[in-house]
Amino acid sequence: MTFEELSVLWLKTRKNKVSFSQYKNLRCYINHLNRYIGEMDVESIKPMDIDALLDTLTDQNPNTGRPASRQTLVDVRSTANRIFEYGIDLELITRNPARGREVSRYAPRRYRRALTATEQGLIISTPHRARVGALVMMLAGLRRGELIPLTWDDIDLDALKISVTKSAEIGEKNKNQFEVKQGTKTSWGRVVDITLDLALELQKAKAVAVSKYVCSRVDGKMHSVVSWRRMWNSYHTALCKAPGAESTNIQEITAHYLRHTYATLLYLSGVDVLTAAKLLGHSNVKTTISIYTHLDDLTKSKSVDKLDSYLSSSLFRAPA
């Protein structure tokens, strides 16, 4: 049996166990693997073959023409590892050549950032029909797919809670329509406690809402892929033209950056990592730990910068 044939069998076992977006990602990782080892007999594949394909992806991802990110390499390796373990379970092979293979520490990491204080202020103050949705993502950490199907019935303003129980994913047949599925990207759902300030903003928005959706199309229906993109482009333009934006260069703002801002606000507020993982809906606390560790590193770097500035201005340049 070739690796490609084994991967087809394994992928069928994941069809009803992961979300559609995760399933698409798995197919993408398998495509990378099949490009290099798909036609090889699974029994003949050696650890050096896995090293070679990871090194090739490290140099260049054929889909982008740029070096593959470290996370992509990890995901490709993990997918290969799971497929080979499946082959062992089927007694097709006796060893897993992907087990223990290293990913280059020099591979670029995916770029993610939290919004600056100025950008956060603009999200709060700039009028736009996307504003309430942006506030929910920035101050409650919802993903784009969790915000799109969110209805006012999911929000308990008295208890200061949002129930995140469904997610919208790009349709498999119609790429312009979102399909709503029960559960979120990583779990069956979660309840997010919200601040009083966010609750007051939601209360004002609900009083004038014409749709059951918290962030809807102009006609009140749930967003399509195109309508969301148009709204978000319009919103970004409004942010760039808003009073106070002239003095700063507003960078690209995405739904993921808003969610990362929420994680950063949790960190700066002193929320422990386990609580943050539950609020963010991370299935593995390691994801939250990696964010907190990254923020720890940034904080330390800024602290050293302050020390450097102090020493340069007061100690080393002080008169003898």
Side-chain angles (χ1 to χ4, degrees):
M1 180 177 288
T2 65
F3 179 84
E4 184 172 4
E5 291 169 338
L6 178 61
S7 69
V8 170
L9 291 177
W10 177 78
L11 193 58
K12 287 181 179 179
T13 69
R14 312 311 304 160
K15 180 73 173 180
N16 297 318
K17 297 183 178 67
V18 298
S19 68
F20 178 62
S21 61
Q22 289 174 303
Y23 186 77
K24 286 199 304 181
N25 288 338
L26 289 175
R27 287 194 304 191
C28 179
Y29 305 143
I30 289 174
N31 286 339
H32 281 308
L33 293 165
N34 285 336
R35 187 178 289 115
Y36 301 102
I37 61 173
E39 295 181 359
M40 296 178 66
D41 191 295
V42 288
E43 291 182 310
S44 68
I45 299 173
K46 295 178 172 54
M48 62 182 295
D49 297 315
I50 307 301
D51 289 337
L53 76 85
L54 290 175
D55 287 341
T56 303
L57 282 173
T58 300
D59 293 333
Q60 186 183 70
N61 182 337
N63 296 335
T64 63
R66 301 189 300 272
S69 70
R70 178 176 174 79
Q71 187 59 53
T72 296
L73 294 171
V74 169
D75 290 335
V76 169
R77 180 190 61 184
S78 173
T79 303
N81 186 69
R82 295 167 70 184
I83 291 172
F84 283 119
E85 288 295 329
Y86 179 67
I88 292 174
D89 290 341
L90 295 181
E91 299 183 353
L92 295 173
I93 52 177
T94 58
R95 57 183 176 77
N96 180 349
R99 188 181 300 160
R101 306 331 297 159
E102 287 188 85
V103 169
S104 172
R105 68 179 65 182
Y106 303 108
R109 296 181 181 272
R110 283 180 183 164
Y111 178 67
R112 63 185 179 192
R113 71 178 184 91
L115 271 58
T116 65
T118 299
E119 290 169 334
Q120 292 175 40
L122 291 173
I123 294 291
I124 293 172
S125 63
T126 304
H128 194 275
R129 63 191 180 92
R131 174 179 175 271
V132 172
L135 286 175
V136 171
M137 290 188 286
M138 185 175 77
L139 300 179
L142 270 67
R143 302 175 177 91
R144 183 194 70 167
E146 296 167 347
L147 170 69
I148 287 174
L150 188 72
T151 66
W152 291 109
D153 290 339
D154 297 321
I155 302 176
D156 189 335
L157 293 174
D158 294 327
L160 301 179
K161 296 181 185 296
I162 295 179
S163 296
V164 186
T165 59
K166 51 190 177 294
S167 181
E169 300 176 349
I170 296 177
E172 189 169 2
K173 296 181 179 179
N174 188 342
K175 302 298 182 182
N176 183 44
Q177 297 299 323
F178 287 108
E179 294 179 358
V180 178
K181 298 185 177 181
Q182 292 303 308
T184 65
K185 180 180 179 181
T186 57
S187 69
W188 290 110
R190 68 187 185 281
V191 175
V192 180
D193 295 297
I194 60 175
T195 64
L196 180 59
D197 287 324
L198 177 57
L200 291 174
E201 291 290 345
L202 291 173
Q203 186 177 49
K204 289 187 288 185
K206 184 179 181 180
V208 296
V210 294
S211 170
K212 68 176 183 178
Y213 296 106
V214 176
C215 185
S216 68
R217 298 190 330 191
V218 175
D219 60 7
K221 296 180 181 179
M222 191 181 80
H223 272 291
S224 66
V225 176
V226 172
S227 70
W228 172 271
R229 187 184 303 119
R230 287 174 177 170
M231 180 195 71
W232 200 256
N233 289 340
S234 168
Y235 183 43
H236 192 269
T237 300
L239 292 173
C240 292
K241 295 181 178 179
E246 303 88 355
S247 60
T248 184
N249 181 24
I250 301 298
Q251 302 178 48
E252 179 188 16
I253 295 177
T254 68
H256 182 74
Y257 293 170
L258 291 170
R259 177 171 159 80
H260 193 62
T261 301
Y262 176 66
T264 302
L265 292 173
L266 292 176
Y267 169 82
L268 295 175
S269 302
V271 175
D272 67 271
V273 69
L274 291 177
T275 301
K278 292 179 181 178
L279 292 171
L280 287 161
H282 287 156
S283 60
N284 192 330
V285 73
K286 289 182 180 179
T287 304
T288 320
I289 291 174
S290 68
I291 295 174
Y292 268 42
T293 301
H294 174 66
L295 293 171
D296 269 338
D297 292 340
L298 290 180
T299 302
K300 290 174 183 175
S301 297
K302 290 181 179 178
S303 297
V304 173
D305 288 342
K306 291 179 182 178
L307 173 62
D308 181 58
S309 177
Y310 172 76
L311 292 177
S312 298
S313 61
S314 62
L315 183 58
F316 284 94
R317 296 191 181 179

